Amino acid sequence: MKCRVVLAPLTRQRSYGNVTQPHAAVYYTQRATADDLLITEAMGVSATAQDLALRPRVQLRAPARRGGARVQHGQGGGTADELRWEAPGVLAARRVTVEEIPVIVEDFRKAAKNAIDAGFDGVEIHGASGYIIEQFLKDSVNDRTDEYRGSLENRCRFALEVVDAIVKEIGGHRVGIRFSLFTDYMESHDTDPHSLALYISTKLNNHSILYIHMIEPRLAMVEGRRVVPKQLLPYREAFKGTFIANGGFDYEEGNKVVTEGYADLVAFGRLFLANPDLPKRFEVGAALNSYDRMTFYTSYPVIGYTDYPFLK
């Protein structure tokens, strides 16, 4: 990829009844170029994995959602479908049983297959933001009493089972995974995130996946300016595939980390949300649109979604 700018997966909540709508194809096509990677809003892997009605779900029958995958890229571009499992209803109030774990793994496998059948180029496994995979990974929330708790090997077991099932179904060259190991989304934190990140990054080499997408620790303020901590280098060096960094980068910082070899690609969220032609603006040094935080999660199909202006 010549273009090192990636669209980060962003929750937008415009999928009425959990069904991807035509305006989603407009949104992603606006942000597609001849040589980029777009990662979609996370999709629930099954009805059991779905909580909110405005978030998309990978349908049991792939043809039902082909319209959402028809993003017009040029040669070299690609779209990855992010797969998520959140704990709705009664499951949120208790631990998943050992007997339920293979069922969830199977849900991920089927969802990956359906995503490829629907026209996506690959999938990104959502292992971040306090959802189920991260709940297994981090010792602050993993209070299980079985083979999935305690040591790093045990806490990473579920994540690697999901990865293994998906890789066997669609191939490692179509698979990435996202982590937020240094954050505390939904009170999910770890007492030693460095060891956790190093262990899982190293173990993923055994599965030959395409990339790891990792979120930086919280931004720091230096002389009144937000500065990216840039603490992900050990995991970039441990993992032998493509490494995507995410977390508060602007053009200057993003260009620098790619040039220095700190990351292969840089994912942008809010900047790409508000600037559908972000790579072009970076290229020519144009001013950026400001994002409207009030419309991030509203259900409007146009306002705050597909109405951000392009360069003239």
Side-chain angles (χ1 to χ4, degrees):
M1 292 175 60
K2 294 180 181 179
C3 178
R4 304 302 182 96
V5 177
V6 175
L7 172 64
L10 299 166
T11 298
R12 303 311 314 275
Q13 299 194 163
R14 269 95 170 166
S15 298
Y16 316 132
N18 302 134
V19 177
T20 303
Q21 302 295 315
H23 49 253
V26 175
Y27 173 80
Y28 290 109
T29 298
Q30 286 179 335
R31 286 152 181 80
T33 68
D35 187 35
D36 64 359
L37 172 63
L38 307 180
I39 307 172
T40 70
E41 175 178 9
M43 297 187 179
V45 300
S46 68
T48 307
Q50 200 74 34
D51 194 9
L52 299 179
L54 294 174
R55 294 184 182 181
R57 182 170 75 237
V58 179
Q59 304 297 325
L60 295 179
R61 296 176 65 248
R65 52 176 313 281
R66 281 190 177 273
R70 288 192 184 126
V71 176
Q72 300 301 313
H73 286 272
Q75 185 177 2
T79 309
D81 184 12
E82 187 174 64
L83 304 179
R84 181 197 70 247
W85 199 101
E86 57 186 311
V90 66
L91 289 179
R94 64 169 176 81
R95 301 183 190 95
V96 173
T97 68
V98 171
E99 292 74 22
E100 288 170 326
I101 289 175
V103 177
I104 296 172
V105 172
E106 177 67 2
D107 284 343
F108 271 99
R109 183 198 66 78
K110 289 178 179 177
K113 179 182 185 302
N114 287 344
I116 299 303
D117 289 346
F120 286 97
D121 299 291
V123 301
E124 178 175 284
I125 301 165
H126 199 338
S129 304
Y131 292 121
I132 192 169
I133 290 177
E134 186 165 270
Q135 291 172 23
F136 274 79
L137 292 173
K138 293 186 174 180
D139 57 13
S140 70
V141 289
N142 184 336
D143 59 354
R144 302 179 66 87
T145 58
D146 52 35
E147 64 269 31
Y148 289 90
R149 79 154 300 183
S151 66
L152 287 172
E153 179 182 5
N154 287 353
R155 286 186 279 128
C156 292
R157 188 187 308 277
F158 174 63
L160 295 176
E161 288 175 349
V162 170
V163 169
D164 185 60
I166 293 178
V167 167
K168 287 178 178 176
E169 179 61 45
I170 65 172
H173 65 292
R174 293 180 179 271
V175 179
I177 189 166
R178 190 176 200 229
F179 294 120
S180 57
L181 302 175
F182 294 88
T183 63
D184 57 356
Y185 295 115
M186 294 191 278
E187 301 182 356
S188 180
H189 64 272
D190 195 83
T191 57
D192 187 1
H194 167 69
S195 295
L196 175 58
L198 190 61
Y199 181 87
I200 193 70
S201 298
T202 303
K203 283 296 182 180
L204 283 167
N205 289 318
N206 298 333
H207 297 268
S208 301
I209 65 171
L210 180 62
Y211 70 80
I212 287 178
H213 178 186
M214 196 172 290
I215 300 172
E216 288 275 356
R218 292 294 183 186
L219 300 180
M221 294 297 293
V222 178
E223 297 180 352
R225 183 175 180 269
R226 298 199 313 168
V227 177
V228 179
K230 291 188 233 179
Q231 296 180 14
L232 304 182
L233 186 59
Y235 326 117
R236 191 261 194 276
E237 293 177 339
F239 180 63
K240 304 309 178 185
T242 297
F243 195 87
I244 304 175
N246 186 325
F249 289 95
D250 56 17
Y251 170 72
E252 182 179 299
E253 289 288 316
N255 203 42
K256 184 176 180 181
V257 297
V258 170
T259 301
E260 294 176 349
Y262 176 83
D264 297 297
L265 306 169
V266 178
F268 295 86
R270 288 168 291 186
L271 294 186
F272 219 150
L273 177 158
N275 296 273
D277 52 357
L278 184 66
K280 181 65 176 178
R281 289 175 186 259
F282 281 168
E283 181 182 0
V284 301
L288 301 182
N289 299 324
S290 298
Y291 53 79
D292 179 5
R293 191 181 295 272
M294 297 299 293
T295 61
F296 281 1
Y297 308 114
T298 57
S299 59
Y300 304 121
V302 175
I303 299 172
Y305 194 54
T306 59
D307 64 343
Y308 282 104
F310 288 77
L311 280 174
K312 295 182 180 179

